[in-house]
Amino acid sequence: MARQVTGAARRVADAAEVLRDEKFNARRIELAEAALETLGELGFARTSLREIAQNSAFTHGVFHYYFSDKLDLICCCVRHYKAKCVTRYDDVVTTATSRDELTEGFLAKLAATLQNEARMHRLWYDLRSQAMFEAAFRKDVLEIDKSLEAMIWRIASRYAELGGKRPASSPAALYALFDGLFQSALLKHLAGDKTAMPELLDEVRHLLPTVC
C-alpha cells in the first residue's frame, strides 16, 4: 500500500511539474510575441530588454524572469516566428493538382509574406548574420535553416511530382538559391524599390521549371 501511495504521489508531482513547464513555456511565447514588433523594427544590435519592455505591456522584471538575457529572448522569438513560417505553403503543396496551380499558390503566399512580414524576415537575416559572431545563436540558426530548407524541398518535390519529374538539385542547393533570391528582394523592398516584388515573382516563376 505504501508503495502504491508513493507511486501515486510521484505521478501527481510529475504531472504538476509538466504543467508548470507548460505554463512557463506558454508565458515565454506570450512575451516573445510582444517583443517581436520591437525587435523587427530595431534589430538585434539596437534593442535591449529594457527597450522591449518599454514597448510592451510587460515590465522589465518580467522579461528578466522568463529570459536569461537578450540572446535567450531573441532566439525564442525567432524560433517561434519561423515555426509558423515553415508551414506557410503546406496547404498549397497539399491541395495543388497541377504545376500551374502550385506555382500561382506559392507565388501568392510569397508576395504576401514579403509585403506583410518584411520586418520579421529582416530580423531573421539579422540573427543569422549575428550567428557568425555569436556562438549562442548558432544551434538555433542552423536548426531553423534546416526547417526552411525542408519547406522549400516540399514545394520543389511536389512541383516536380506534378510534372512527372524529380528535382534537379539537392535540398541544400535549392534552399540557397531561393533564399538568396528572397533576401535580395527583401533588401530592395525595404529600400522602397517597387520592382522588388514583381521581379522576385518573375524569377521564381521562370526558375521552378528549370530546377524541378
Side-chain angles (χ1 to χ4, degrees), residues 88-89 92-93 100-113 151-152 155-156 159 178 201 204-205 208:
R88 174 177 288 116
Y89 306 103
V92 173
V93 171
D100 286 344
E101 187 178 350
L102 178 56
T103 298
E104 296 312 311
F106 175 39
L107 293 181
K109 288 184 176 290
L110 191 64
T113 191
M151 176 189 75
I152 294 298
I155 296 165
Y159 184 86
F178 281 97
L201 300 184
V204 174
R205 191 188 303 277
L208 276 171

Side-chain angles (χ1 to χ4, degrees), residues 10-204:
R10 179 170 295 281
R11 287 194 294 274
V12 170
D14 289 345
E17 184 177 353
V18 169
L19 182 60
R20 283 195 298 271
D21 288 345
E22 289 177 350
K23 288 182 176 180
F24 186 85
N25 289 330
R27 187 64 160 168
R28 278 170 59 90
I29 294 300
E30 182 182 9
L31 292 168
E33 288 275 12
L36 274 171
E37 191 68 24
T38 302
L39 287 166
E41 178 64 29
L42 298 180
F44 170 80
R46 294 191 295 160
T47 309
S48 66
L49 281 182
R50 189 173 299 280
E51 191 158 20
I52 291 169
Q54 289 173 348
N55 287 281
S56 77
F58 303 99
T59 67
H60 184 226
V62 169
F63 278 99
H64 259 303
Y65 178 79
Y66 285 94
F67 299 98
S68 57
D69 54 25
K70 185 176 76 169
L71 301 185
D72 186 21
L73 171 60
I74 292 176
C75 285
C76 181
C77 286
V78 176
R79 281 198 307 269
H80 173 60
Y81 175 68
K82 285 299 181 181
K84 296 188 291 186
C85 284
V86 297
T87 62
R88 174 177 288 116
Y89 306 103
D90 286 358
D91 285 346
V92 173
V93 171
T94 301
T95 60
T97 58
S98 69
R99 285 160 72 96
D100 286 344
E101 187 178 350
L102 178 56
T103 298
E104 296 312 311
F106 175 39
L107 293 181
K109 288 184 176 290
L110 191 64
T113 191
L114 180 63
Q115 178 66 45
N116 301 328
E117 302 174 38
R119 287 187 295 181
M120 295 299 101
H121 293 300
R122 175 174 64 182
L123 177 60
W124 158 242
Y125 287 118
D126 185 16
L127 177 61
R128 195 165 72 175
S129 296
Q130 289 295 329
M132 297 287 187
F133 305 95
E134 186 60 66
F137 285 155
R138 288 173 194 157
K139 181 175 182 294
D140 287 317
V141 164
L142 289 171
E143 288 178 356
I144 293 169
D145 251 346
K146 289 301 291 185
S147 67
L148 293 171
E149 179 184 305
M151 176 189 75
I152 294 298
W153 186 248
R154 288 194 297 273
I155 296 165
S157 296
R158 180 58 177 158
Y159 184 86
E161 180 186 3
L162 288 168
K165 300 180 180 180
R166 298 176 61 184
S169 186
S170 68
L174 279 176
Y175 172 54
L177 181 59
F178 281 97
D179 182 67
L181 288 173
F182 186 83
Q183 185 176 10
S184 177
L186 176 65
L187 180 58
K188 292 177 183 177
H189 175 71
L190 291 169
D193 187 341
K194 301 298 183 183
T195 68
M197 188 178 300
E199 286 181 356
L200 171 64
L201 300 184
D202 283 345
E203 287 279 8
V204 174

